[in-house]
Amino acid sequence: MEDSVIPFLEKTLQRIPSSSLKSILNEWGFLTAQQLQDLHFQQSKHILHNKVLAFCEENGMRIRHVIQLDMIYNCEYPNKRNWSVYQFSGQEDDALVLNMTEFSQKFKVNLKDLLRHVSIGMKKCEDDAVWIRVAWGDNFTKPNQFKPTYVVYQLQTPYVFISNLNVKHRPLLSQALVIATKHDEIKEIQLRGRCLKSLKDLVLRRYKQSFQTYQPKPLQERHCPERDQGIVHEHAKRLADLKEVATQTFGDGPLPKLETAVFKLETKFKDPENRILTNRPEPFRCAVKFSSPSFLESLKSLVTLGVASTPVSPLLSSIPQKARNHFVISERGPGVPSTPAP
């Protein structure tokens, strides 16, 4: 067994929750049925891992086997990673009929032509998503299996989701993806998050969207003709109005899960009383970041409770429709920063 296999396997096993270890090892299929029966999953994680290591060494495990295990874990727990969304453009006529075999062959051949030492693993999931694991080396060093790049390509769509890609490897991965998918170019669309399913739902419009039939107006207090109904009744009416505004703005279904929304300001400073900043030729720059375990749901709740002012700013309410959560606000209006291909 190769020297680097044991530490790689140990780290992979440590990430797998005890509650999922049995099912993941079963799906892996590297251990025999008898070896799986000999494992007592109620034992401590340390003892259990040592037994798994011993069985793997006995079976002559190689790097490729651990890569398979790592991919199974990441497919099971995609939200442990940070994902960025990229979009292809300029597709060839037969791009939409691309199959898994053709894509896999083209991607591997092209990437290995560009880089001597690179490790590539592939796995197709049930939702027509191809999972790609790339461990990068160079012309002199072997691939680093501890810091791989993960790519999820949704077949028959122009979208790909990438995790842990550094600047050095962006051009290489970009070229391999563009050639394998039969497109002209690829660019980041400034949509990032940890919940892979929500990112897919946003770009593929697989969530219950809101369709406003009119421009929301600031709520006005209603006059209650029966004065003796009291404050409780007035409060209930206002909450009902707020809920209606929240529903019209964000829809009545569950919203995709985004953890952040970032707005970068690059405009001229305008204040007649502050001539020092106003007369500066360069734009005034600052950034505002909203963070929450589920930002869109939190914002909807704030509107419903009357904490957030209404109508909601289009900068916030349009996030689901635009499928973006990183913006640059300039003199020309809100937009997204130009970003090089991955």
Side-chain angles (χ1 to χ4, degrees), residues 113-157:
D113 283 344
L114 296 172
L115 199 61
R116 180 180 178 184
H117 290 138
V118 62
S119 169
I120 305 171
M122 286 198 178
K123 175 181 174 65
K124 186 175 181 181
C125 294
E126 296 177 356
D127 62 343
D128 276 341
V130 180
W131 279 70
I132 308 170
R133 182 187 188 276
V134 182
W136 303 95
D138 54 36
N139 292 329
F140 306 100
T141 59
K142 292 184 177 180
N144 183 356
Q145 300 294 346
F146 295 95
K147 295 181 179 180
T149 295
Y150 266 89
V151 180
V152 179
Y153 172 49
Q154 202 71 29
L155 290 173
Q156 320 306 333
T157 77

Side-chain angles (χ1 to χ4, degrees), residues 18 21 38-51:
S18 300
L21 184 58
D38 292 340
L39 293 174
H40 301 288
F41 292 93
Q42 295 77 20
Q43 290 181 322
S44 69
K45 211 170 183 180
H46 177 71
I47 296 175
L48 195 56
H49 287 181
N50 285 339
K51 286 188 176 180

Side-chain angles (χ1 to χ4, degrees), residues 324-342:
R324 308 284 190 275
N325 64 344
H326 285 67
F327 297 88
V328 171
I329 302 173
S330 63
E331 297 291 344
R332 294 172 296 177
V336 294
S338 58
T339 306

Side-chain angles (χ1 to χ4, degrees), residues 85-136:
V85 186
Y86 294 79
Q87 184 175 14
F88 296 109
S89 61
Q91 68 181 26
E92 298 177 13
D93 294 337
D94 58 343
L96 292 179
V97 296
L98 186 70
N99 58 58
M100 171 66 176
T101 304
E102 183 182 4
F103 169 78
S104 174
Q105 290 176 346
K106 283 190 174 183
F107 181 83
K108 290 180 178 179
V109 168
N110 188 268
L111 197 55
K112 289 182 177 179
D113 283 344
L114 296 172
L115 199 61
R116 180 180 178 184
H117 290 138
V118 62
S119 169
I120 305 171
M122 286 198 178
K123 175 181 174 65
K124 186 175 181 181
C125 294
E126 296 177 356
D127 62 343
D128 276 341
V130 180
W131 279 70
I132 308 170
R133 182 187 188 276
V134 182
W136 303 95

Side-chain angles (χ1 to χ4, degrees), residues 7-21 24 45 49 66-77 80-81 133 145-148 150:
F8 181 24
L9 178 60
E10 286 177 338
K11 185 174 181 180
T12 304
L13 289 173
Q14 287 170 3
R15 291 201 301 265
I16 302 174
S18 300
S19 58
S20 303
L21 184 58
I24 289 178
K45 211 170 183 180
H49 287 181
V66 192
I67 290 174
Q68 293 168 2
L69 179 63
D70 185 61
M71 294 194 70
I72 293 171
Y73 162 74
N74 278 279
C75 288
E76 189 73 20
Y77 293 95
K80 298 293 184 181
R81 292 184 159 271
R133 182 187 188 276
Q145 300 294 346
F146 295 95
K147 295 181 179 180
Y150 266 89

